[in-house]
Amino acid sequence: MSEMTRRAVQAAWEELGRDREYPTPEALEAAIQAEAERLAEMIGDETERLRSMGIAQFRADNQGNFPPYIETVQIGNGQAPRSGVTEL
């Protein structure tokens, strides 16, 4: 979770008045931390979903070819064992 996500949750809760629902600053911070982690996971899942959709659309539009940046990574990964790097 990023500090930006935590600060966004904290600011939103202050705006909505949810920060007054917690009896201690420690309880508030723990709740903000938990919500920020949940939000960060949701953002990551949605980012991966959108990325996968974009790749699928690109492949559908380009006779099954991967986008250039993925092909570069695939080529680079194929070169790794020959350059002395061992993949586990």
Side-chain angles (χ1 to χ4, degrees):
M1 170 206 49
S2 72
E3 178 64 19
M4 186 183 334
T5 304
R6 192 198 68 72
R7 287 193 321 237
V9 169
Q10 181 178 8
W13 281 18
E14 287 172 1
E15 185 69 25
L16 296 172
R18 285 200 60 195
D19 59 332
R20 293 185 292 263
E21 296 176 14
Y22 296 91
T24 65
E26 293 80 18
L28 174 61
E29 186 57 36
I32 288 172
Q33 187 79 9
E35 180 65 12
E37 287 174 6
R38 186 185 72 80
L39 182 60
E41 186 175 327
M42 288 174 57
I43 291 168
D45 291 347
E46 185 65 9
T47 300
E48 183 61 32
R49 186 184 72 78
L50 292 171
R51 179 182 177 277
S52 295
M53 284 176 40
I55 291 169
Q57 184 62 50
F58 184 93
R59 292 190 74 192
D61 294 344
N62 293 281
Q63 296 86 32
N65 294 316
F66 283 101
Y69 65 90
I70 291 180
E71 289 177 357
T72 301
V73 170
Q74 290 172 340
I75 291 168
N77 287 342
Q79 298 294 324
R82 284 183 252 134
S83 65
V85 176
T86 304
E87 290 181 317
L88 301 176

